[in-house]
Amino acid sequence: MQQPTHGTRRDAIAKIKAATAFTALPLAFMALGLAGQASAQTPAFPSKTIRFVVPYPPGGPTDLMARMLQPELQQRLGVTVIVENKSGAGGNLGSAEVARQAPADGHTLLLAASGPMAVNSSLYKSMPFNPLKDLEPVVQLSAFPLVLEVHPSLGVKTVAELLALAKTGKTLSFASAGNGTPQHLAGELFNSMEQVKLGHVPYRGAGPALNDLIGGQVGVMFDIVGSSLQHIQGGRLIPLAVTSAERTKVLPDVPTMAQAGVPGYQITGWHGIAVRAGTPPAAIDKLNATVNAIFKDPAFRTRWEAIGTPAVGGTAAEFGALIRSDSQRLGALVRSTGVTLD
């Protein structure tokens, strides 16, 4: 049998290499196509407009915080950020929309307030969402101290004088923004710790309650410092103490409740950002890092602190721990009052 020549062997090897090359080309293009398809399925966050849902009407401190953050988030994230007010049922309606209807992709944010996140589960007979299961914490934004304040006609200037007056049997009432609000819970905590009975007068919001306090129709109120500050500075209301662990910068001469003679008393209204459960951790991390970067800007911090709260920030885990602890602590306080809402 005739053996193949060197030329013939070279021709065979060339044919094998050519065939291999033609086979590899489709495989390479296929791999590129699969990589592109995977990239299209998992775009970098954020990739579209972000909705920032505020579960309260425009004009209040919760709405103000969202509108202060909106341009900063928009600039740093590189996408449009739209603030939407979805109020009703003590913050439950807007919170439930994010918790149950929004895509779990990080493009719908909730301005999460202490009421719907930690109080309403104990206050309402039925809830449209579970804040501990249906939402993921992103970052804490605020820790609003409240101020215990009185109408000048009451004739008291310290917490001790208010307690002495209450223990004489004089009928005293405190106004609040409604059942289950921080203003209400602050008063109930005061009653419980000091064994007094200031009557509770719930209003439809802090504004009407504050108006009646200024008018003297009610004598006492625990209110968010930022809301009452101008009235305190104008002498229309007398501040007795703030409810935070430390004094607030905007009322540096007003003692804390502990300093005023009620040791262990502390309650604040807080806010944060939350997203629907199941949101990718990378999106939560990006949002958390962005807010913390905003809070490090000295000019922004100055504007933020002017509304009566520190710029809190921190990790998502820290915010989650606050939600869980206040759900237990404030929930027990609500249940002790016996107040429930449909």
Side-chain angles (χ1 to χ4, degrees), residues 123-147:
L123 181 64
Y124 284 80
K125 293 179 180 178
S126 62
M127 283 282 286
F129 72 105
N130 184 324
L132 298 178
K133 294 182 178 180
D134 298 335
L135 291 165
E136 292 280 356
V138 174
V139 64
Q140 187 180 353
L141 299 176
S142 75
F144 273 103
L146 284 76
V147 57

Side-chain angles (χ1 to χ4, degrees), residues 158-173:
T158 66
V159 172
E161 290 175 356
L162 176 64
L163 286 170
L165 184 62
K167 291 176 181 178
T168 64
K170 180 179 174 63
T171 301
L172 293 174
S173 298

Side-chain angles (χ1 to χ4, degrees), residues 186-202:
E188 295 293 354
L189 183 60
F190 184 70
N191 279 344
S192 174
M193 292 183 67
E194 291 301 311
Q195 297 299 300
V196 292
K197 294 184 179 180
L198 275 64
H200 175 223
V201 184

Side-chain angles (χ1 to χ4, degrees), residues 6 14 43 78 110 115 118 125 145 168 176 218 225 262 277 283 290 300 331:
H6 290 293
L110 172 67
K125 293 179 180 178
T168 64
S176 85
V218 64
V225 172
V262 189
T290 301
F300 184 86

Side-chain angles (χ1 to χ4, degrees), residues 182-314:
Q183 293 93 334
H184 173 210
L185 298 183
E188 295 293 354
L189 183 60
F190 184 70
N191 279 344
S192 174
M193 292 183 67
E194 291 301 311
Q195 297 299 300
V196 292
K197 294 184 179 180
L198 275 64
H200 175 223
V201 184
Y203 287 77
R204 288 179 171 268
L210 192 57
N211 287 339
D212 271 11
L213 179 67
I214 294 167
Q217 283 82 13
V218 64
V220 183
M221 184 174 179
F222 289 82
D223 191 29
I224 290 174
V225 172
S227 300
S228 289
L229 185 59
Q230 61 177 324
H231 305 294
I232 292 171
Q233 292 172 335
R236 292 179 290 276
L237 298 174
I238 298 175
L240 307 185
V242 293
T243 65
S244 49
E246 298 179 354
R247 296 191 184 203
T248 175
K249 291 180 180 180
V250 295
L251 290 173
D253 296 330
V254 178
T256 66
M257 290 288 285
Q259 292 169 340
V262 189
Y265 186 105
Q266 183 181 345
I267 189 169
T268 57
W270 48 257
H271 302 80
I273 293 176
V275 292
R276 186 173 181 177
T279 295
I284 293 175
D285 291 344
K286 179 70 172 289
L287 291 166
N288 177 277
T290 301
V291 171
N292 278 298
I294 292 170
F295 280 173
K296 288 179 181 177
D297 179 2
F300 184 86
R301 288 182 72 92
T302 298
R303 298 196 306 273
W304 188 266
E305 290 171 357
I307 65 176
T309 175
V312 180

